[in-house]
Amino acid sequence: MKSSDFEAPAKRWSPLSLVWLAALWMGLLANWPLWQRMLALPELQGTKGVGFVLLFAAMVVALHGALASLLAWPRLVKPVLVLCLMSAAAAAHFMGAYGTVMDPTMIVNVLQTDVKEARDLLSLRLLASLLLLGVLPAVWLWRRPLAPLAWPKRLGWNLAAFAGGLALMVGLAMSSYADLASTMRTYPSLRYMMNPLAPFWSLGVVAVESHKAPDGPPAVVAADARWQPTDPHGRPRLLVLFVGETARAANFSLNGYGRPTNPRLAGLDVLSFRQASSCGTSTAASLPCMFSHLGRSGFLDRAGDQENLLDALQRAGLAVLWLDNQSGCKGLCDRVPHAHATEAAGRTPLPAGLCEGGECLDMALLHDLDTRLQSLDAERRQRGVVLVLHPMGSHGPAYFRRSPPELKPFTPECRSNALQQCPREQVVNAYDNSIAYADTVLAETIQWLKRQGAYDTSLLYVSDHGESLGENNLYLHGVPYAVAPREQTHVPWILWLPDDSARRFGVDRRCLQSQLDLPLSHDWLSHTVLGLAEVHSAIYRPDWDLLRRCRATP
């Protein structure tokens, strides 16, 4: 006889047992950012608050267990639970480390993240979270043998567990309905922290919304767009539109910040409009919105995909170029000439030290820009040129990568992408260094524009959204817009309009100077650009043209 004949047979597990154990593990441990956030709420202080959080935790476990019970089939249960555990572990890290929530906008950001952005998010804390909350329990449950059961009985047990879990959750909710309703109404973002239900729910919403979009090309916008210059014999206009990345207005010394983050721009007679608001709190939300003529509310309510400002400018006959040093234009530049900063414009290679590991500092946007300008259609250039530059700017969490070693006025800086592990002053130093470097890039762009004697030149810099730097334990961006802190929606809006260009454009600079505290938003961007480019169309709204009120002949 073999020794194995005397060994006790291995315990066989019901799929439902694994489901509810996993629900308990994820509900209690992988939701630690949710419990941390709730316990910090002023309404949930004291013994009563702790009791409510424990009740809410039981509701989360019951809900996840109920839903997963429907998938408790022998061939399905283990892959599903492994996916849930790994997703919950990753989401727990990012919610806990940066204060984010897993709403549909954040899922879009995740889906559009490129390799360079993903690399900046890797850390030992992420690895530890994946290992402890995901890999270890996944390995344990994968090794559990499953007990056989006829499928009719399995179906009955699964449905019974589903119904029981829902009944338990509803019963718990009704036992403290007033507190639950008040908390969810006051802090709606908490629903997007239930892990891993929130990430999967948001992914489903994104998938459904993407399939709602009609097939075919985007709807035509500004079919009547035409170039109509005030002086047909004057020089063509050259506008550089800098779509700044992750810059918050509060850290610009041009707006009253106490540190000299804009020393060069301060000497170039730029106009900084101090009360500008963004369309969203992420690039994926803001970029398409700010290039739409509809404004934020109209953009959110639109029926389907539409053309944008760049299409209107090109239809009017202007030369348009999108030059990127980011993860892409989110579809905005698909129908106009576009390039990436890593792609050399001509035979001149990028200078050594400007790019490393496939990622470039923003000064690469200006390398051989004359060649890029001359490569545009000559006939279109005679009407006017709009260059859109999309920099890395202050994209986090690796702020220290956004500025070169020789241009770091604020030290010591946080050299980690695990921002919560650095002293906050070092995080701010690294971020402010990125703003100071953006100041250098913008100043060099203006110097380049001054050399373009064949054009009437101007520059407009607007950030897509702001950034949290540890205020209220929040980092980065992407908080749902309705509850987003001002740090994520208050953005810089800077205009360089030299006197000679202002005169030819018919704009009174003293009038503009008096408008620096005018409340404006991304809604105004497309219409201000249409005005600067002298493009006429029925979509143009003069009340959203920043320069219109200061023109000699409105």
Side-chain angles (χ1 to χ4, degrees):
M1 297 180 64
K2 299 179 180 178
S3 60
S4 58
D5 294 337
F6 297 97
E7 294 178 358
K11 178 183 177 181
R12 295 187 176 272
W13 292 72
S14 164
L16 280 174
S17 299
L18 297 183
V19 160
W20 282 89
L21 283 174
L24 187 66
W25 178 275
M26 293 184 292
L28 297 182
L29 299 182
N31 275 282
W32 69 263
L34 174 58
W35 314 140
Q36 184 182 64
R37 182 78 60 89
M38 292 183 71
L39 289 171
L41 298 178
E43 298 89 338
L44 299 181
Q45 300 301 302
T47 305
K48 182 179 179 181
V50 172
F52 176 78
V53 172
L54 291 175
L55 181 142
F56 194 79
M59 290 173 53
V60 170
V61 171
L63 178 59
H64 282 87
L67 295 176
S69 293
L70 297 175
L71 303 174
W73 297 89
R75 294 186 179 181
L76 191 62
V77 66
K78 290 183 179 180
V80 166
L81 292 182
V82 169
L83 176 63
C84 289
L85 286 165
M86 297 306 296
S87 300
H93 166 74
F94 290 112
M95 288 191 290
Y98 303 115
T100 60
V101 298
M102 294 297 155
D103 67 334
T105 299
M106 183 57 65
I107 296 300
V108 171
N109 293 333
V110 172
L111 295 175
Q112 294 183 355
T113 296
D114 63 9
V115 174
K116 292 179 292 185
E117 291 178 339
R119 181 187 63 191
D120 287 345
L121 294 171
L122 299 178
S123 67
L124 291 177
R125 277 192 67 168
L126 172 60
L127 180 61
S129 182
L130 292 174
L131 179 63
L132 296 176
L133 294 178
V135 173
L136 292 181
V139 170
W140 181 87
L141 71 85
W142 194 269
R143 298 180 64 182
R144 299 309 101 184
L146 298 177
L149 187 66
W151 76 263
K153 291 185 178 180
R154 176 71 60 206
L155 177 62
W157 278 107
N158 289 358
L159 291 177
F162 170 72
L166 284 185
L168 175 60
M169 186 200 71
V170 172
L172 292 170
M174 296 306 296
S175 70
S176 188
Y177 179 77
D179 290 337
L180 178 64
S182 176
T183 302
M184 291 296 105
R185 184 169 54 250
T186 307
Y187 304 100
S189 62
L190 292 177
R191 71 190 67 177
Y192 290 113
M193 296 186 70
M194 287 190 290
N195 192 18
L197 179 60
F200 287 123
W201 171 267
S202 296
L203 180 62
V205 170
V206 171
V208 170
E209 291 297 325
S210 66
H211 282 87
K212 282 184 179 179
D215 296 330
V220 173
V221 165
D224 62 338
R226 66 192 186 282
W227 176 63
Q228 189 172 322
T230 54
D231 180 8
H233 304 292
R235 292 184 298 184
R237 300 186 177 187
L238 170 57
L239 168 65
V240 171
L241 175 57
F242 239 107
V243 184
E245 173 65 31
T246 320
R248 65 188 216 173
N251 288 55
F252 277 62
S253 55
L254 290 173
N255 296 331
Y257 187 47
R259 309 177 97 180
T261 52
N262 306 126
R264 294 191 60 182
L265 287 178
L268 290 173
D269 201 21
V270 299
L271 300 169
S272 182
F273 296 85
R274 297 184 283 258
Q275 302 300 326
S277 299
S278 68
C279 192
T281 61
S282 68
T283 304
S286 283
L287 265 191
C289 180
M290 64 197 293
F291 277 80
S292 169
H293 70 286
L294 298 171
R296 183 173 187 273
S297 59
F299 181 79
L300 294 177
D301 294 337
R302 74 197 188 286
D305 193 19
Q306 297 184 347
E307 292 181 345
N308 59 78
L309 170 65
L310 304 183
D311 297 294
L313 296 172
Q314 181 160 264
R315 183 169 289 115
L318 275 64
V320 181
L321 173 65
W322 179 288
L323 186 57
D324 213 302
N325 192 33
Q326 251 281 351
S327 59
C329 64
K330 313 305 179 187
L332 295 172
C333 63
D334 289 352
R335 295 169 296 279
V336 303
H338 54 275
H340 198 277
T342 55
E343 305 166 5
R347 296 181 178 180
T348 307
L350 289 163
L354 202 56
C355 300
E356 183 178 343
E359 180 177 314
C360 295
L361 292 166
D362 285 332
M363 201 64 75
L365 291 166
L366 306 186
H367 177 68
D368 219 0
L369 198 53
D370 289 299
T371 301
R372 296 192 190 276
L373 179 61
Q374 292 302 314
S375 68
L376 298 174
D377 182 84
E379 185 177 348
R380 288 180 174 273
R381 281 191 280 117
Q382 290 305 309
R383 299 187 185 98
V385 181
V386 177
L387 298 179
V388 184
L389 306 184
H390 188 205
M392 279 295 288
S394 302
H395 196 283
Y399 305 125
F400 66 95
R401 297 183 188 273
R402 309 298 170 236
S403 57
E406 67 274 13
L407 293 175
K408 293 183 181 291
F410 309 108
T411 57
E413 66 174 2
C414 177
R415 304 284 299 176
S416 169
N417 55 8
L419 300 178
Q420 70 284 353
Q421 295 182 352
C422 289
R424 186 170 181 272
E425 59 270 19
Q426 293 186 17
V427 174
V428 174
N429 283 344
Y431 183 84
D432 284 350
N433 285 334
S434 72
I435 299 295
Y437 183 60
D439 174 80
T440 298
V441 175
L442 288 171
E444 289 299 317
T445 307
I446 290 174
Q447 296 303 328
W448 177 81
L449 284 169
K450 288 180 176 181
R451 297 192 293 270
Q452 307 306 311
Y455 298 92
D456 287 331
T457 58
S458 56
L459 178 143
L460 181 59
Y461 171 88
V462 184
S463 184
D464 54 353
H465 55 79
E467 187 85 331
S468 289
L469 299 176
E471 299 88 359
N472 300 313
N473 204 34
L474 291 178
Y475 291 90
L476 303 183
H477 50 268
V479 171
Y481 195 86
V483 296
R486 181 167 170 79
E487 291 85 4
Q488 296 190 24
T489 60
H490 184 205
V491 294
W493 181 304
I494 297 171
L495 174 66
W496 176 74
L497 189 65
D499 289 335
D500 57 346
S501 293
R503 285 192 296 269
R504 295 188 186 102
F505 294 177
V507 175
D508 184 347
R509 277 184 53 88
R510 290 177 298 179
C511 171
L512 283 177
Q513 192 74 38
S514 70
Q515 305 290 318
L516 297 184
D517 286 313
L518 175 72
L520 67 156
S521 70
H522 280 165
D523 294 355
W524 296 44
L525 180 64
S526 290
H527 305 275
T528 299
V529 171
L530 288 173
L532 278 169
E534 297 185 302
V535 171
H536 291 239
S537 171
I539 68 169
Y540 171 72
R541 285 187 55 169
D543 56 321
W544 281 354
D545 182 350
L546 177 61
L547 276 62
R548 181 78 173 189
R549 64 187 64 211
C550 293
R551 293 186 188 275
T553 55

